[in-house]
Amino acid sequence: MAPVVHIIDDDASLRGALDSLFRSTGLQTRQYESVAAFMETPPSTTAPGCLVLDVRLPGMSGLDFQQRLEELGVRLPAVLMTGHGDIPMTVRAMKAGAVDFLAKPFRDQEMLDAVAAALARDEARRAESSRIDALRTAFTTLSPRERQVMALVASGKMNKQVAGDLNLSEITVKIHRGAAMRKMGAKTLADLVRMAEALELTAGPSAPPK
């Protein structure tokens, strides 16, 4: 699915110019005159993309919107632009996770570079999300005991300690650990530990993480 650049600016001429710029590089675009217009038809969560939004907008400002993206359920990275920027505003935007903050007038290449960085960030987020989903699916195939052993081993405990905690023999713990590694697709113990960390397991759970 081709990435979509969502342009939010109340200046129709600038929206048109950005639309032409992005489409000239093969990107798809959608245009909005305000945050409210964007929220009326929110983008599909399956389509990769990013936001390019002006700081000063009618209604909710672009800066306020960017700071509330997660709260509003929008996970697209944002590139902000303004003709009236200052250092505090830039710092505020970057602390809130903006990919870039461009002062108008900007060069076409500056905008294209910023959008490329935003799309790369979204791609990385989606890849990580898919990886976590796959881990969660694999984790559901573990038996309750295998989940306990995985969590305890990942917490740094040796087989002997895990055996004592669960009142099992070391051989049984090794069998459960081996089964957990096989089902999770972990080639090494370090892999299993990293998977447990990604799933935010705590020692001794018997149910899948939320």
Side-chain angles (χ1 to χ4, degrees), residues 29-209:
T29 64
R30 287 178 63 180
Q31 300 182 46
Y32 317 85
E33 62 182 9
S34 66
V35 170
F38 173 84
M39 293 304 295
E40 284 178 3
T41 54
S44 167
T45 57
T46 60
C50 69
L51 300 168
V52 172
L53 65 155
D54 193 27
V55 166
R56 295 192 174 184
L57 292 169
M60 183 184 293
S61 74
L63 194 58
D64 287 340
F65 179 51
Q66 185 251 336
Q67 292 185 304
R68 295 182 59 195
L69 288 178
E70 186 173 346
E71 173 189 339
L72 294 171
V74 180
R75 304 192 68 187
L76 297 175
V79 173
L80 275 75
M81 52 186 177
T82 183
H84 309 279
D86 55 36
I87 292 177
M89 186 183 293
T90 303
V91 170
R92 180 182 168 192
M94 299 307 285
K95 281 187 175 181
V99 175
D100 210 336
F101 193 102
L102 302 179
K104 301 175 183 178
F106 43 77
R107 294 182 294 108
D108 286 353
Q109 193 58 52
E110 287 180 317
M111 177 58 76
L112 290 175
D113 288 346
V115 165
L119 293 176
R121 181 182 293 186
D122 191 49
E123 181 180 357
R125 177 189 65 78
R126 290 173 183 277
E128 177 64 10
S129 179
S130 294
R131 186 181 76 88
I132 298 300
D133 286 345
L135 288 178
R136 289 196 178 106
T137 298
F139 188 74
T140 63
T141 68
L142 272 61
S143 69
R145 186 65 82 188
E146 288 164 355
R147 297 174 190 178
Q148 288 180 319
V149 169
M150 176 178 172
L152 288 168
V153 168
S155 72
K157 293 194 173 185
M158 306 294 290
N159 288 337
K160 184 176 182 179
Q161 293 172 305
V162 175
D165 286 351
L166 300 179
N167 195 27
L168 299 172
S169 69
E170 283 190 60
I171 294 298
T172 301
V173 169
K174 289 179 181 179
I175 291 172
H176 286 312
R177 189 183 75 176
M181 291 178 66
R182 183 179 68 256
K183 292 178 181 180
M184 294 299 297
K187 295 181 179 179
T188 66
L189 181 58
D191 286 341
L192 192 68
V193 170
R194 283 190 288 269
M195 291 174 180
E197 290 175 348
L199 291 171
E200 299 181 350
L201 297 187
T202 55
S206 58

